[in-house]
Amino acid sequence: MESKSGLVNNLTLTAPMEERGQKLLSELDELAEGGLEAFIAKVPDPVLLVGPGAKLGNLNDSTSKEEDVSTGTMPSGVPGSEQPTVVIPVVKRFTTSVADMIWLGRAVTCDVILPYDAVSKVHAVLSHHASGDLLVTDVGSKNGTWINGKRLQSGQQVPLRDRDVLKLGNVQALFLVPRSLYDFVKAEAEERKG
């Protein structure tokens, strides 16, 4: 199945990241050069940034937290000791009887696959509330779910908002809507230029 961005999500964890709908943060630089509208046309879905480069401070926002978003064990097959920052689309991959739920976990049957040891096979679920909020719920994971440092109880629903830090076990991710991802990518490019 394809996301709105046209990235194919493969069902095997041994497949390259791009076949699971994932990209490296550095691969988005070229897309951002075309401007905001072109970027959002190519990356219309919210994402999770996982890795050492996912720093909230890079958004240059007075409300952002200066917290590093780092990960636990990276998936196998990542070359070298440098851990790249991975961009994971938050999209529904499978048609199920519960159309408004996006499942997060290590299992290949999840909509958002997080192939890290500390993430449960089915760890959490995102759902849309009638108010328009996107809610995250821990579904009884072994290692817990946190939003901005606050642990969720199993079954507890909490709004997930742009620039929130979502932690699943020891894997931390930065949740960004497309506009914030664009700003993040541009800020990263400027920082590298020095």
Side-chain angles (χ1 to χ4, degrees):
M1 175 152 270
E2 288 190 19
S3 71
K4 289 184 237 170
S5 61
L7 300 173
V8 177
N9 293 305
N10 195 311
L11 293 181
T12 65
L13 292 178
T14 57
M17 288 182 343
E18 60 273 5
E19 290 183 25
R20 293 195 314 261
Q22 301 175 4
K23 288 187 169 291
L24 297 179
L25 181 62
S26 58
E27 295 177 287
L28 298 180
D29 286 353
E30 190 174 308
L31 292 177
E33 289 174 6
L36 177 61
E37 283 186 34
F39 183 86
I40 291 176
K42 294 283 186 184
V43 188
D45 304 305
V47 300
L48 293 175
L49 291 185
V50 180
K55 296 176 185 164
L56 289 165
N58 290 354
L59 288 167
N60 295 325
D61 178 4
S62 60
T63 63
S64 69
K65 307 160 203 92
E66 289 290 336
E67 179 180 344
D68 280 349
V69 181
S70 58
T71 66
T73 306
M74 291 296 287
S76 60
V78 176
S81 60
E82 285 286 315
Q83 295 182 348
T85 300
V86 180
V87 181
I88 304 172
V90 178
V91 295
K92 183 79 176 157
R93 291 189 322 135
F94 302 106
T95 304
T96 63
S97 60
V98 190
D100 69 335
M101 297 180 123
I102 299 172
W103 297 91
L104 289 77
R106 200 176 70 238
V108 296
T109 54
C110 289
D111 297 303
V112 177
I113 300 172
L114 297 160
Y116 304 93
D117 294 339
V119 176
S120 295
K121 288 181 183 175
V122 179
H123 197 106
V125 65
L126 301 176
S127 58
H128 294 279
H129 188 269
S131 67
D133 284 340
L134 184 62
L135 303 174
V136 63
T137 307
D138 182 281
V139 293
S141 67
K142 179 181 176 183
N143 294 318
T145 303
W146 290 259
I147 297 289
N148 299 324
K150 292 183 79 174
R151 187 170 184 160
L152 279 63
Q153 299 300 313
S154 180
Q156 178 184 5
Q157 293 184 324
V158 175
L160 180 62
R161 297 194 171 91
D162 185 32
R163 303 177 186 196
D164 278 350
V165 175
L166 174 65
K167 182 177 174 189
L168 305 169
N170 69 349
V171 176
Q172 293 187 68
L174 179 59
F175 177 77
L176 297 174
V177 298
R179 171 60 197 244
S180 292
L181 178 61
Y182 173 80
D183 292 343
F184 189 94
V185 170
K186 294 295 279 186
E188 282 285 305
E190 288 299 317
E191 188 175 296
R192 279 192 306 276
K193 286 180 185 176

